[in-house]
């Protein structure tokens, strides 16, 4: 990894800070995260952070957060938890936005996904 990061991202401090922010998202995805919270974890301004995160991971921090939430939702939908419960556990504010994003990313509604897996 060091060779990879050294070629693409020559500043090790920036790499560490961006990775730290990614880990912050991975750990706190179920909480109502704001861009300023995540950027603050990396000690960057929000706009500078967005540019660096996208350069590093190929997506914005918000896109990454949604991916993490949907991935965790898929895992929870395999249990006995209800869709609405899963929605709030993974950090979405409303079941309708959760269902819309889930369908957009998986091609199925959360209920359809859950039913197909059982």
């Amino acid at each position: 990894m060091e060779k990879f990061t050294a070629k693409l991202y020559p500043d090790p401090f920036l790499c560490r800070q961006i990775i730290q922010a990614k880990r912050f998202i991975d750990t706190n995805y179920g909480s109502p995260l704001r861009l300023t919270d995540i950027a603050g974890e990396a000690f960057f301004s929000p706009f500078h952070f967005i540019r660096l995160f996208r350069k590093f991971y190929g997506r914005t921090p918000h896109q990454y957060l949604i991916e993490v939430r949907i991935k965790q939702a898929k895992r929870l939908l395999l249990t006995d938890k209800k869709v609405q419960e899963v929605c709030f556990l993974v950090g979405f504010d409303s079941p309708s936005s959760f269902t819309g994003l889930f369908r957009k990313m998986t091609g199925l509604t959360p209920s359809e996904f859950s039913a197909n897996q059982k």
Side-chain angles (χ1 to χ4, degrees), residues 9 18 49-61 63:
Y9 311 102
I18 296 298
F49 175 68
I50 289 172
R51 283 192 299 275
L52 288 173
F53 194 94
R54 184 182 301 181
K55 181 179 177 185
F56 215 87
Y57 291 109
R59 61 188 78 102
T60 66
Q63 290 169 328

Side-chain angles (χ1 to χ4, degrees), residues 31-48:
S31 302
L33 293 179
R34 296 175 304 163
L35 176 61
T36 54
D37 298 332
I38 303 167
E41 190 68 23
F43 303 105
F44 293 122
S45 72
F47 296 111
H48 187 56

Side-chain angles (χ1 to χ4, degrees), residues 10-94:
D11 188 335
F13 174 76
L14 292 178
C15 292
R16 277 195 302 272
Q17 296 309 106
I18 296 298
I19 290 170
Q20 181 177 333
K22 180 184 174 288
R23 288 182 180 151
F24 181 76
I25 293 170
D26 291 339
T27 304
N28 297 291
Y29 65 87
S31 302
L33 293 179
R34 296 175 304 163
L35 176 61
T36 54
D37 298 332
I38 303 167
E41 190 68 23
F43 303 105
F44 293 122
S45 72
F47 296 111
H48 187 56
F49 175 68
I50 289 172
R51 283 192 299 275
L52 288 173
F53 194 94
R54 184 182 301 181
K55 181 179 177 185
F56 215 87
Y57 291 109
R59 61 188 78 102
T60 66
H62 181 71
Q63 290 169 328
Y64 178 74
L65 174 61
I66 297 299
E67 287 176 18
V68 169
R69 286 177 170 169
I70 296 297
K71 179 180 173 185
Q72 294 302 322
K74 289 167 74 176
R75 183 181 60 77
L76 290 170
L77 287 168
L78 299 177
T79 66
D80 292 335
K81 298 190 184 315
K82 297 185 183 219
V83 170
Q84 189 168 357
E85 183 181 3
V86 170
C87 164
F88 295 120
L89 283 173
V90 298
F92 286 100
D93 290 336
S94 77

